Amino acid sequence: MRPLAERPEDVPHVFADRFNGGDPAAVAEVYEEGAVFVPEPGTPLTGADAHAANARFMALGLPIKVAPRHVYSAGDLALLIVDWVIEGEAPEGPVRIEGTATDVARRGPDGRWRYVLDNPFGTAASGA
């Protein structure tokens, strides 16, 4: 399992490594306390609800692939635009979930970067 990111551009890769490892607690460590996760447009979640929503994606048993497109940082904040896809054969049949995330990460007092806002479907409209 990858350690938490030392550079903002590594946060998506740390997330993917931990997601693909299948451990929801390891994924939760990639988020700072109070972080917002938006599992579907218009539905921001925090805390246990956010972690449970991430675990539901992980429960598909399929890997996530990430491709950071842009990373812009200013001091201890960074905006990440990341293309991603979860794809494969699930028990119910083929699955393909994809998006372009608009995320914000922050460097913590320990020097590691974590998500503050994780919006995997980016600018998709609610109900899309």
Side-chain angles (χ1 to χ4, degrees):
M1 176 174 62
R2 281 187 190 217
L4 293 174
E6 294 182 4
R7 306 176 316 158
E9 57 268 29
D10 294 333
V11 176
H13 299 291
V14 170
F15 175 87
D17 180 69
R18 289 171 177 229
F19 183 101
N20 294 339
D23 181 357
V27 170
E29 292 174 355
V30 183
Y31 295 82
E32 70 175 40
E33 188 174 333
V36 172
F37 175 58
V38 186
E40 60 184 67
T43 308
L45 302 174
T46 59
D49 292 335
H51 300 312
N54 246 328
R56 285 191 293 278
F57 283 105
M58 294 175 69
L60 293 168
L62 300 172
I64 190 169
K65 295 177 187 167
V66 297
R69 190 188 303 185
H70 302 289
V71 177
Y72 305 109
S73 59
D76 291 337
L77 287 177
L79 172 66
L80 299 94
I81 309 300
V82 181
D83 297 319
W84 62 273
V85 63
I86 298 172
E87 183 175 35
E89 194 68 33
E92 311 80 39
V95 171
R96 182 176 176 88
I97 306 168
E98 64 184 319
T100 299
T102 53
D103 299 331
V104 176
R106 180 176 11 229
R107 182 176 23 223
D110 62 356
R112 304 296 181 148
W113 290 82
R114 296 171 181 85
Y115 286 125
V116 178
L117 300 166
D118 180 5
N119 182 18
F121 295 100
T123 60
S126 295

